[in-house]
Amino acid sequence: ATKNAEQIIFPDELAALARGRNPVHHTYTPDAPAEWNGFRGRVDRRMLSGVVRGWEGPVFYLCGPPFMCDDVALHLRELGVPQSCIRAEKYD
């Protein structure tokens, strides 16, 4: 999740992952580009439920402020993702 397109870190690397077999999901809070058809708003359980469902053994990488990483990790665990499949890099 980022506030705008300029804040996306490593955009080329994320785009390369998305072209491969590693799904990358992004959301804008609040300034999505006009042509954006993806997620909007803060990452929440509703958003994650559509992404997590049916996956076997994925590893989720979270990077951002501690409160955001903790919230997303909690939602993932509530959706049945084991803690061992959640990685986080927290920063202020």
Side-chain angles (χ1 to χ4, degrees):
T2 58
K3 291 180 181 178
N4 55 54
E6 292 77 34
Q7 290 186 335
I8 297 174
I9 60 170
F10 304 112
D12 296 335
E13 290 84 350
L14 289 173
L17 283 171
R19 286 190 300 272
R21 54 184 206 114
N22 299 298
V24 174
H25 301 280
H26 191 84
T27 181
Y28 285 100
T29 61
D31 300 323
E35 68 280 1
W36 180 252
N37 292 320
F39 292 120
R40 294 174 186 261
R42 192 170 170 179
V43 177
D44 60 17
R45 185 177 175 154
R46 178 195 53 79
M47 185 184 296
L48 290 170
S49 66
V51 174
V52 172
R53 187 181 18 202
W55 284 19
E56 293 293 327
V59 175
F60 293 87
Y61 294 94
L62 314 174
C63 181
F67 71 89
M68 191 266 318
C69 290
D70 293 343
D71 282 353
V72 173
L74 174 64
H75 296 313
L76 289 170
R77 288 192 310 273
E78 289 173 346
L79 291 167
V81 176
Q83 181 64 45
S84 62
C85 292
I86 301 170
R87 308 281 192 281
E89 180 177 340
K90 302 175 186 180
Y91 61 84
D92 289 320

